[in-house]
Amino acid sequence: MSWQAYVDDHLMCEIDGQFLTSAAIFGHDGNPWAQSPNFPQFKPEEIAAIMKDFDEPGSLAPTGLYLGGTKYMVIQGEPGAVIRGKKGPGGITVKKTNMAIIVGIYDEPMTPGQCNMIVERLGDYLIEQSY
């Protein structure tokens, strides 16, 4: 399966009548492997800061997680594995796998839990597949 198919079929899929706003898969080097058409224009340093937080959990908490110039307040996660952020009625979930990071962005009426489930379920699957 292509990386774009993972984004289209597994991240931008319907869950309880809701959909992510946008999603992407990046390599650990920050290069995008696949993304939804409306994924925000990101800066390489934003992806680098996310990767740093996986290596040094808590490094994003004081400044927030930035993606596409949007600041998300880091709210919770699993150190070294998942970063979750919130901004107003929406938020972001980032899951690290062996070779990639998976990013899902949502807005109401989708809930944080629904976004977490979509992103983390694909991440867990890719880890099982050694990606």
Side-chain angles (χ1 to χ4, degrees), residues 13-33:
C13 62
E14 181 263 341
I15 180 169
D16 300 329
Q18 307 304 322
F19 294 87
L20 290 173
T21 308
S22 59
I25 301 173
F26 293 88
H28 285 185
D29 59 4
N31 287 321
W33 291 0

Side-chain angles (χ1 to χ4, degrees), residues 53 56-66 71-74:
D53 193 82
E56 301 171 26
S59 66
L60 286 177
T63 58
L65 182 160
Y66 285 85
K71 179 181 179 178
Y72 297 90
M73 182 176 64
V74 177

Side-chain angles (χ1 to χ4, degrees), residues 21 65 70-75 84-92 105-112:
T21 308
L65 182 160
T70 300
K71 179 181 179 178
Y72 297 90
M73 182 176 64
V74 177
I75 51 170
R84 298 183 187 110
K86 189 92 174 102
K87 178 176 174 49
I92 188 168
I105 299 172
Y106 70 94
D107 256 317
E108 285 185 340
M110 179 174 265
T111 66

Side-chain angles (χ1 to χ4, degrees), residues 9-10 20 37 71 74 101 126 131:
D9 301 340
H10 296 281
L20 290 173
K71 179 181 179 178
V74 177
I101 58 170
L126 292 177
Y131 290 112

Side-chain angles (χ1 to χ4, degrees), residues 44-54 59-60 64 66 83:
E45 57 267 25
E46 294 172 331
I47 304 302
I50 291 169
M51 286 306 299
K52 180 181 178 195
D53 193 82
F54 284 121
S59 66
L60 286 177
Y66 285 85
I83 302 168

